[in-house]
Amino acid sequence: MFGTSQKLHNLLAKFLFFSIVLLAFSACRQKQENTEGKAALAVSPDNEGIKVPDGFGVIKVADSLGAPRHITVNSNGAIYLKLRKPIDGEGILYLEDQDGDGIADTKKGFGDYGGTGIYIDESYLYASSDEEIFRYKLDANGEVTESSNPDTLVTNLVSYRTHATKSFTLDGDGNIYVNIGAYSNACQEEDRTLGSPGVMPCAILDSAGGIWQFRADKFKQSYAEGKRYATGLRNVVGLDWNFQLNKLVVTQHGRDQLNTLYPDLFDQKTSANLPAETMYIINEGDDAGWPYIYYDHYQNKKILSPEYGGDGTKTAGENAIDPVVTFPAHIAPNALLFYTGEMFPEEYRNGAFIAFHGSWNRAPEKQEGYLVAFVPFKDGKPSGDWQVFADGFAGVEKVSSPSEAKHRPTGLAQGPDGSLYVSDDSGGTLFRIVYTKE
């Protein structure tokens, strides 16, 4: 009796052992099949020549795209790019990665207008020309339907040759914030003319040189239907809504040519290094002071512009807001993105990435910029010094003229996996930065 029981016990043990082995083998095989069915990300062995922190890698998603400006990514990882000028009647490109390697496999386009701004939410894609903002309905896959017949939300905005593009963002509460850049360097009677005085008061500010707010659910709005949300901002190409702080944050292009226009007050070196590029946290009604002042990051002061009687030392703008971060002169912050993803290490969470387009007017100094910077934030406010995050886009050691730069960062977007996309309107390339360290 004992022997029979023992045999049954042994048989049962063997059955359980082989069952476990079989299940494990099946699970391993399924895991292997799943792994083989999904392509690994095609991270460039040399990161496309771009220098990124340890643990990060760079994928070239696409090239030969024309001049992509701002970019946005839907919840499925498909990418929309706004082209500065349409190609073959297409000013918005839609890119998809079918096999998961990070490289775009398909491309199509629509929207027969140029521009810079583009933004996506759960229901709509928004895009801007130099005078208007349009809205396209999305289907369940985050793709635009009826691309030939968008809603016109905003129209008849001021657009001249200088600072014409209309960057914008949304606040999640149905409001659109659009930059209307000043069509002037410093509001002189004769723009960029030696010694020409500044207009007082600057008439440009009635319809440009600031941020205007419109609704995302109303059609054919213009100045009368919107409101001037903030003023005294020369040109804000980078702007984003900080949801921790629940405020608008912008990066401004500072004025040019202090030495060229006022050689008796400023030498070439001073002109190459002033004024600062600036980041502001904006409240409704704020005035950042352009054109009457500029910010000197060496003196840490708001300085009276020479067009209005300044000499490089006189302060002014007591009622103008102060920047929360300053950057080197003339390096052109063209995109701002608050990072909310989980792919990157914790120190990047809720911080700000800025795409710098690069300078053109730092001679006789070498041109600077052509990089992506990072500003750490805590509780919605800057919490440390800014740092270079990705560099080497220019592709050459010394840039004397912007035309020598291989790539010029222009747009930023966050993918659903937390990766960071960077567009380049010089080489027509789209990059994706991923964190690869386990």
Side-chain angles (χ1 to χ4, degrees):
M1 186 72 176
F2 176 80
T4 302
S5 177
Q6 184 64 39
K7 288 179 181 179
L8 287 172
H9 181 271
N10 292 340
L11 286 171
L12 181 59
K14 288 179 180 180
F15 175 80
L16 289 172
F17 172 79
F18 284 115
S19 295
I20 292 170
V21 170
L22 183 62
L23 287 170
F25 175 79
S26 177
C28 288
R29 183 171 180 177
Q30 182 67 39
K31 182 178 180 181
Q32 183 179 10
E33 288 173 354
N34 289 342
T35 302
E36 290 174 351
K38 183 179 180 181
L41 289 174
V43 175
S44 169
D46 66 348
N47 287 331
E48 295 298 320
I50 297 169
K51 302 172 186 176
V52 289
D54 183 46
F56 288 87
V58 178
I59 302 166
K60 184 166 71 172
V61 178
D63 59 17
S64 304
L65 297 172
R69 298 283 286 182
H70 285 179
I71 50 181
T72 193
V73 184
N74 72 14
S75 59
N76 293 327
I79 306 152
Y80 290 94
L81 304 92
K82 188 74 195 74
L83 298 183
R84 184 66 192 96
K85 295 180 180 180
I87 299 176
D88 298 328
E90 298 173 347
I92 299 173
L93 297 183
Y94 177 75
L95 307 180
E96 281 189 303
D97 168 22
Q98 301 283 356
D99 59 11
D101 64 356
I103 298 173
D105 306 307
T106 61
K107 179 180 75 172
K108 57 185 178 182
F110 57 93
D112 60 350
Y113 55 92
T116 285
I118 197 160
Y119 185 97
I120 200 167
D121 61 21
E122 293 180 355
S123 301
Y124 297 99
L125 177 76
Y126 307 81
S128 67
S129 69
D130 289 352
E131 300 86 20
E132 297 174 299
I133 299 177
F134 302 99
R135 186 183 75 173
Y136 299 84
K137 180 68 176 175
L138 300 177
D139 65 16
N141 296 317
E143 292 188 45
V144 167
T145 60
E146 300 183 17
S147 61
S148 62
N149 189 33
D151 299 322
T152 301
L153 300 181
V154 182
T155 189
N156 294 325
L157 299 180
V158 166
S159 173
Y160 294 100
R161 183 174 178 271
T162 300
H163 306 152
T165 65
K166 301 299 184 290
S167 303
F168 67 92
T169 193
L170 278 74
D171 63 4
D173 197 31
N175 296 305
I176 301 174
Y177 301 85
V178 56
N179 165 63
I180 306 179
Y183 44 95
S184 171
N185 175 43
C187 205
Q188 292 175 283
E189 292 180 1
E190 297 183 53
D191 192 33
R192 299 181 187 269
T193 300
L194 179 67
S196 178
V199 177
M200 186 67 183
C202 179
I204 288 172
L205 295 172
D206 68 343
S207 58
I211 305 293
W212 267 255
Q213 183 193 68
F214 299 96
R215 289 294 301 173
D217 55 2
K218 294 183 179 180
F219 300 156
K220 297 293 181 70
Q221 303 164 89
S222 193
Y223 291 97
E225 293 76 29
K227 68 167 70 171
R228 187 173 64 177
Y229 192 78
T231 192
L233 292 159
R234 178 176 177 269
N235 190 35
V236 169
V237 188
L239 69 171
D240 197 11
W241 190 263
N242 184 308
F243 285 94
Q244 273 198 319
L245 196 59
N246 203 32
K247 293 183 185 295
L248 180 67
V249 183
V250 306
T251 51
Q252 176 183 237
H253 288 215
R255 56 88 43 82
D256 302 320
Q257 299 176 301
L258 288 170
N259 170 253
T260 304
L261 303 177
Y262 296 91
D264 55 329
L265 297 176
F266 304 94
D267 60 26
Q268 286 186 314
K269 186 176 180 64
T270 300
S271 187
N273 291 290
L274 286 175
E277 308 285 47
T278 45
M279 175 188 284
Y280 297 99
I281 295 175
I282 300 292
N283 293 292
E284 183 175 354
D286 277 348
D287 184 349
W290 181 91
Y292 311 116
I293 62 169
Y294 63 84
Y295 198 82
D296 184 324
H297 50 305
Y298 297 103
Q299 300 184 67
N300 290 320
K301 294 178 180 178
K302 292 171 287 192
I303 301 298
L304 183 65
S305 297
E307 291 80 6
Y308 296 91
D311 60 2
T313 61
K314 295 178 183 177
T315 59
E318 290 77 11
N319 296 322
I321 60 174
D322 289 312
V324 294
V325 184
T326 61
F327 304 96
H330 312 304
I331 63 175
N334 265 22
L336 170 65
L337 172 75
F338 283 98
Y339 184 78
T340 58
E342 296 184 357
M343 175 187 281
F344 290 6
E346 180 65 28
E347 58 262 34
Y348 294 98
R349 196 73 47 80
N350 299 312
F353 286 102
I354 303 102
F356 285 99
H357 199 224
S359 65
W360 62 269
N361 57 342
R362 287 179 54 84
E365 309 291 314
K366 72 174 184 176
Q367 302 305 323
E368 298 281 1
Y370 316 98
L371 57 86
V372 175
F374 177 75
V375 179
F377 269 64
K378 184 177 181 181
D379 299 325
K381 297 182 179 180
S383 59
D385 294 335
W386 74 273
Q387 56 199 255
V388 175
F389 175 73
D391 200 358
F393 289 92
V396 293
E397 186 66 28
K398 181 179 179 181
V399 180
S400 299
S401 168
S403 62
E404 298 173 357
K406 185 177 180 181
H407 305 291
R408 302 185 71 183
T410 303
L412 297 171
Q414 180 182 300
D417 65 347
S419 55
L420 180 70
Y421 291 83
V422 184
S423 63
D424 146 47
D425 70 348
S426 180
T429 307
L430 178 64
F431 301 98
R432 178 181 173 185
I433 302 176
V434 296
Y435 188 66
T436 59
K437 185 178 288 186
E438 296 293 336

